[in-house]
Amino acid sequence: MSRRTTQLAGLDLNLLVVLRELLRERNVTRAAERVGVSQPALSAALARLRRHFEDDLLVRSGRGYVLTPLARQLTRQVEDVCAAAEQLFATGSSFAPDTSVREFTLLMADYTLTVIGQPLAELFEREAPRARLRIRLVRESLSADLPRIVRFVDGVIAPPIELEEQPKLRSAELFRDEWVCVVWAGHELGDAALTLTDLQRLDWVVPYHREPGVALPPVPRRLAALGIAPRVALSVESYQAVPALVAGTHRIALVQRRLALEFAERFDLRVLECPGEPEGIVESLWWHDDLDPDPAHAWLREALRGIGEGLRDHNPG
């Protein structure tokens, strides 16, 4: 038996779940409730984890706790490991969504959540009321790790740019969208159609702005394809936040049409056609092919395909 195998056999893998809930909740009492043990038992498990890692992990600050630098480093790792373990032990020859207590994990951008969040939540309540769905939002800092992360979650919903060249990944198209520009209703442009000259001279709100020379996120990449070097007045690590940052200003933003229509009335925005015909948007579900034979995952894939078909039947206009 190898040294690594011996080390793994000697670990109490229940501590993985304890560690995950402690890092999620940052509170011993709430973590105990989540795990289903008493607070003293959870405190004892925390003491074991502290001895193992030779680190406090949680440090009291005021009336709560904060994570140590090591604990912050462990947060993503323990989520991936627990998700992989849950997939492994949940795999079986059959799956009954109405009685299953399986936890599914999906990774997507907050834009995608705006589009499919409500039908997805409704579907789980209707068809799998005891199952749990964990949605992790893609942050720009995770983009480079997506090919690795997809191995440890049930799926990533994303455009193909990040994943299409990766081996052993499968995909199913869910829905399509297109890029439009949004401005405040009181913008100086009035009713005039946008031109590429307008895009170059106006100040911009850009999600996930990065300087040229690095892998560009979707909006900067689309602007670069149009030959626009935007004068970025505001940058934000979110798609959903963009409409609020455009409202009441004379700035402009490039956003997905479905997102623009969702927020236009709330923030008194005008939705304008983008000159230059930017490339369209395709959002797909991506998963590792190891999950193909899992009946629970097959149910999830079909459920998401159904949501996608409903969206295609109601394309934004």
Side-chain angles (χ1 to χ4, degrees):
M1 185 179 293
S2 70
R3 182 184 177 199
R4 285 190 175 183
T5 302
T6 302
Q7 290 175 334
L8 182 60
L11 291 176
D12 179 358
L13 298 184
N14 290 319
L15 290 176
L16 280 174
V17 178
V18 172
L19 179 61
R20 180 182 67 179
E21 298 308 325
L22 280 168
L23 298 183
R24 284 180 179 178
E25 299 294 336
R26 304 185 186 189
N27 181 283
V28 173
T29 301
R30 290 198 301 268
E33 292 172 353
R34 292 272 298 176
V35 176
V37 300
S38 67
Q39 183 173 334
L42 201 289
S43 296
L46 173 57
R48 292 176 63 190
L49 287 166
R50 284 170 165 165
R51 288 195 298 271
H52 176 83
F53 288 106
E54 298 181 347
D55 187 88
D56 286 338
L57 301 177
L58 277 77
V59 179
R60 184 171 290 280
S61 176
R63 304 176 73 177
Y65 288 89
V66 296
L67 302 183
T68 66
L70 176 62
R72 290 195 297 270
Q73 179 182 337
L74 293 173
T75 298
R76 189 181 70 188
Q77 296 179 42
V78 75
E79 291 287 351
D80 291 346
V81 171
C82 285
E86 286 168 348
Q87 286 180 3
L88 174 66
F89 288 104
T91 302
S93 59
S94 62
F95 173 73
D98 57 331
T99 58
S100 174
V101 295
R102 172 167 171 162
E103 179 173 285
F104 296 90
T105 301
L106 292 172
L107 192 65
M108 65 187 76
D110 62 354
Y111 148 68
T112 312
L113 185 59
T114 298
V115 177
I116 72 167
Q118 181 176 343
L120 186 59
E122 291 174 348
L123 182 140
F124 265 77
E125 183 176 71
R126 181 177 64 250
E127 298 189 17
R130 299 180 61 197
R132 294 170 295 163
L133 175 61
R134 180 172 177 80
I135 296 175
R136 296 175 60 188
L137 293 181
V138 176
R139 303 299 182 189
E140 188 55 29
S141 59
L142 288 179
S143 293
D145 291 337
L146 283 175
R148 179 188 64 83
I149 291 171
V150 75
R151 295 181 58 89
F152 300 108
V153 296
D154 290 285
V156 175
I157 302 177
I161 190 69
E162 303 283 359
L163 298 166
E164 62 184 350
E165 302 300 327
Q166 299 300 319
K168 299 182 72 63
L169 292 191
R170 295 173 60 85
S171 67
E173 181 180 320
L174 297 184
F175 66 91
R176 295 190 173 217
D177 207 339
E178 57 189 0
W179 296 104
V180 295
C181 291
V182 293
V183 296
W184 176 46
H187 197 282
E188 64 187 60
L189 286 169
D191 295 326
L194 278 174
T195 66
L196 290 176
T197 301
D198 291 326
L199 302 190
Q200 188 63 67
R201 70 178 178 82
L202 292 170
D203 287 341
W204 282 81
V205 177
V206 178
Y208 306 109
H209 174 61
R210 296 293 180 272
E211 296 298 329
V214 297
L216 292 178
V219 171
R221 185 165 59 243
R222 293 281 72 80
L223 291 174
L226 293 173
I228 302 299
R231 191 163 65 241
V232 180
L234 285 171
S235 178
V236 62
E237 304 294 294
S238 165
Y239 293 107
Q240 289 183 358
V242 170
L245 299 176
V246 171
T249 77
H250 289 277
R251 298 179 181 120
I252 190 170
L254 186 69
V255 302
Q256 303 89 340
R257 184 182 291 274
R258 293 180 189 272
L259 184 69
L261 295 179
E262 182 72 25
F263 289 100
E265 183 175 355
R266 184 189 309 180
F267 292 111
D268 196 19
L269 302 178
R270 293 175 56 215
V271 180
L272 306 174
E273 299 302 318
C274 183
E277 299 183 354
E279 182 180 342
I281 302 165
V282 179
E283 291 283 319
S284 297
L285 171 68
W286 299 83
W287 70 93
H288 198 275
D289 64 7
D290 286 349
L291 293 171
D292 279 348
D294 180 358
H297 197 270
W299 171 84
L300 179 66
R301 296 195 298 267
E302 289 307 310
L304 286 168
R305 284 193 183 103
I307 291 173
E309 288 174 4
L311 291 170
R312 290 194 291 273
D313 291 341
H314 299 87
N315 283 323

